[in-house]
Amino acid sequence: MLQPLRTACCIFGMWGNSTYKRTSSRDYTNVVDVEDNSALVQNNEDPEASNPSWRLSLPHILVATISSFLFGYHIGVVNEPLESISSDLGFNGNTLAEGLVVSTCLGGALIGSLFSGWIADGFGRRRAFQLCALPMVIGASISATATNLAAMLFGRLLVGMGIGVGPPVASLYVTEVSPAFIRGTYGSFIQIGNCIGLMGALFIGIPVREIAGWWRICFWVSAIPAGILALAMGFCAESPHWLYKQGRSAEAEIEFEKLLGKGLVKFAMHELSKLDRGDDTDTVKLSELFYGRHFRVVFIGSTLFALQQLSGINAVFYFSSTVFKSAGVPSDLANVFVGIANLSGSIGAMVLMDKLGRKVLLLGSFFGMAISMGFQVAGASSYVLGSGALYLSVGGMLMYVFTFALGAGPVPGLLLPEIFPNRIRAKAMAVCMSVHWVINFFVGLLFLPLLKQLGPQLLYTIFATFCMIAVVFVKRNVMETKGKSLQEIEIALLPPE
């Protein structure tokens, strides 16, 4: 029963520099750059001294990561209890109804992701977190008290809408409140939160077969972190980027002081004045994202998420139960192995993101996934028999999950808010996440029929090919953003009008 598990892991040429004129709302001069070390070198200052204390921004990041934990938890919460739920609610043996309990949450996530950009821009990042927590609390409560299938599906739909808003807003928030020198590390917290949430759901579901009605407790428990998210966000900093975009510069200064310290506020505001803010009252039209000067970055983002899904992450998790079963490994133990590989890769990404950079991790990750698929193909081959085939299949699967979590999983969610201009960032993320969910759905829908029609060798070869296409695409189109301020990235990528 790894279908919910696999879904959690899916959530996923260099441009020439050009000048772009912007109008600063304020004049900040003779100040210290908080993110651009080159400016400090020119001023004969120690670059290390430019980095604000990570302790200031960490609490805000940890609160935001609760949304990622909830995402993983709700994707995995029906994994173990599904049989008990179907028995208690009277649809035991109805595979369509069981599938709806799982997929309704994904449908809600698609709806939530479509509106996430407009919610984040209209209400602010902090309020968006609170709004996404609300349907998760209500939906979990409805599911926990459900007495029939309709109530369960309605609760799952509400929860899905909440988790659809959460991931893109978390990516926005982490990108916008993190100092450049540690932004990659903080971005990895999102993937780690997903993994911990998923493993937590699997762990709390263990007693479900021994204790009658335990599945209701599984849903009730999820309301606690959602409530904490809503309350704790009231004490967290709002994104200074969003405040500045709204013309609220004085409030942006206050938030920068919370995140960076008082001594670094002026230069942070000076850097912010370089943003492509445009008219404060102007709204971003959806058509702006599909043609003109913003098309290229939106195309890059959408393609990255599409390739993330087409590389076969759904397929690996769909087929993992069969592979482990043929190797004599129980499904519970298989969950543990896959979870450990996923979490280990995510921790590796956290350590390496700001050392090696986003582009290197993406290239290494997709290439490693292609090699892993090669092992899977070899394991399914008639030329390799017995224990050798099992080692190749199981080893290839765990290697695939590890390498996915090392780059292809966490990097797109961090990289895309970095490369999107401030003015379109939230809505562009909503569009790209919607592409993610649509491709996710169709790969999940078509995998089993294709597996039956084509066989594992050919299908996994196709996935390996997509992984190599991703390597070429990243090599040619993705810019390295490690250590760069959002303003530097925007100036480098955005062509003149």
Side-chain angles (χ1 to χ4, degrees):
M1 193 77 69
L2 288 178
Q3 179 178 350
L5 175 63
R6 57 92 193 170
T7 311
C9 299
C10 305
I11 332 284
F12 291 28
M14 296 285 285
W15 297 285
N17 290 342
S18 61
T19 57
Y20 176 65
K21 296 181 180 179
R22 293 170 176 79
T23 302
S24 301
S25 64
R26 319 183 78 170
D27 182 21
Y28 292 93
T29 56
N30 300 321
V31 287
V32 182
D33 191 339
V34 299
E35 294 181 321
D36 187 354
N37 288 345
S38 63
L40 288 163
V41 172
Q42 292 172 2
N43 294 332
N44 297 320
E45 297 185 36
D46 180 12
E48 293 298 322
S50 70
N51 292 334
S53 173
W54 55 267
R55 293 179 179 85
L56 294 174
S57 51
L58 180 62
H60 309 273
I61 300 298
L62 292 178
V63 172
T65 306
I66 296 175
S67 66
S68 301
F69 171 87
L70 286 164
F71 176 86
Y73 186 92
H74 280 296
I75 291 298
V77 70
V78 296
N79 191 21
E80 289 296 328
L82 188 56
E83 185 177 338
S84 298
I85 293 171
S86 62
S87 179
D88 287 355
L89 299 187
F91 57 90
N92 190 27
N94 186 338
T95 55
L96 176 60
E98 291 178 352
L100 283 174
V101 171
V102 175
S103 60
T104 299
C105 187
L106 303 181
L110 174 59
I111 296 172
S113 68
L114 284 171
F115 291 98
S116 62
W118 282 260
I119 293 172
D121 273 348
F123 298 97
R125 312 323 191 210
R126 191 170 61 176
R127 187 61 58 84
F129 278 116
Q130 295 175 319
L131 290 175
C132 87
L134 183 62
M136 284 194 273
V137 171
I138 297 173
S141 303
I142 292 174
S143 295
T145 57
T147 56
N148 53 59
L149 176 61
M152 172 60 68
L153 294 181
F154 181 60
R156 292 288 286 167
L157 180 66
L158 288 178
V159 164
M161 292 171 67
I163 65 174
V165 173
V169 173
S171 295
L172 288 171
Y173 187 79
V174 170
T175 298
E176 293 178 345
V177 306
S178 301
F181 79 99
I182 201 171
R183 192 168 58 232
T185 300
Y186 282 168
S188 302
F189 285 11
I190 295 175
Q191 179 77 0
I192 292 174
N194 288 340
C195 296
I196 294 175
L198 178 63
M199 295 175 73
L202 297 176
F203 177 78
I204 204 168
I206 291 174
V208 73
R209 295 179 184 177
E210 286 75 33
I211 304 176
W214 182 261
W215 62 268
R216 298 184 186 274
I217 302 297
C218 297
F219 285 109
W220 278 122
V221 165
S222 67
I224 298 174
I228 293 174
L229 174 64
L231 292 174
M233 260 298 152
F235 300 95
C236 290
E238 179 55 270
S239 164
H241 293 254
W242 180 76
L243 290 170
Y244 181 82
K245 185 175 150 184
Q246 302 300 310
R248 297 156 61 178
S249 299
E251 293 175 61
E253 288 186 40
I254 295 172
E255 302 307 302
F256 268 134
E257 185 173 344
K258 293 179 185 177
L259 297 166
L260 306 176
K262 188 173 183 179
L264 302 175
V265 171
K266 285 189 175 182
F267 198 87
M269 290 300 298
H270 173 72
E271 284 290 284
L272 204 55
S273 70
K274 302 175 183 177
L275 284 173
D276 176 30
R277 188 177 67 172
D279 187 349
D280 290 335
T281 62
D282 190 22
T283 57
V284 179
K285 297 178 181 178
L286 193 61
S287 59
E288 290 184 59
L289 305 179
F290 297 107
Y291 66 87
R293 61 203 301 258
H294 296 309
F295 169 76
R296 184 170 180 79
V297 288
V298 175
F299 171 75
I300 297 292
S302 300
T303 304
L304 269 180
F305 268 132
L307 288 171
Q308 181 196 63
Q309 298 304 302
L310 292 171
S311 64
I313 186 64
N314 287 339
V316 166
F317 280 92
Y318 263 130
F319 200 48
S320 59
S321 57
T322 303
V323 172
F324 278 107
K325 185 176 180 180
S326 64
V329 179
S331 61
D332 290 346
L333 196 56
N335 282 337
V336 172
F337 285 156
V338 171
I340 290 174
N342 197 5
L343 183 59
S344 299
S346 300
I347 293 173
M350 178 186 69
V351 174
L352 298 174
M353 193 81 75
D354 285 313
K355 294 182 178 179
L356 298 181
R358 288 54 151 164
K359 186 171 183 177
V360 171
L361 284 184
L362 274 179
L363 290 171
S365 176
F366 279 118
F367 186 74
M369 290 159 65
I371 298 298
S372 304
M373 281 296 180
F375 289 155
Q376 294 277 62
V377 171
S381 170
S382 59
Y383 296 104
V384 182
L385 303 174
S387 59
L390 292 178
Y391 286 137
L392 283 172
S393 296
V394 173
M397 179 181 304
L398 294 179
M399 178 181 171
Y400 180 94
V401 173
F402 176 82
T403 52
F404 174 85
L406 196 61
V411 171
L414 170 67
L415 179 70
L416 302 194
E418 290 181 321
I419 67 174
F420 291 147
N422 186 50
R423 182 169 172 271
I424 68 163
R425 186 173 293 136
K427 293 180 177 64
M429 275 299 295
V431 169
C432 293
M433 283 300 296
S434 299
V435 171
H436 166 277
W437 283 113
V438 170
I439 301 294
N440 184 339
F441 173 78
F442 280 108
V443 171
L445 180 68
L446 298 175
F447 168 69
L448 291 178
L450 287 175
L451 180 64
K452 183 177 180 180
Q453 196 76 21
L454 304 177
Q457 280 186 285
L458 180 56
L459 188 57
Y460 283 169
T461 299
I462 293 172
F463 288 137
T465 302
F466 274 116
C467 290
M468 293 308 299
I469 291 173
V471 170
V472 175
F473 180 82
V474 170
K475 180 70 175 176
R476 292 184 176 180
N477 295 283
V478 171
M479 169 189 178
E480 181 54 69
T481 59
K482 179 187 70 171
K484 292 182 172 64
S485 72
L486 299 181
Q487 294 75 32
E488 289 179 286
I489 297 167
E490 182 173 332
I491 291 171
L493 293 182
L494 202 59
E497 291 182 291

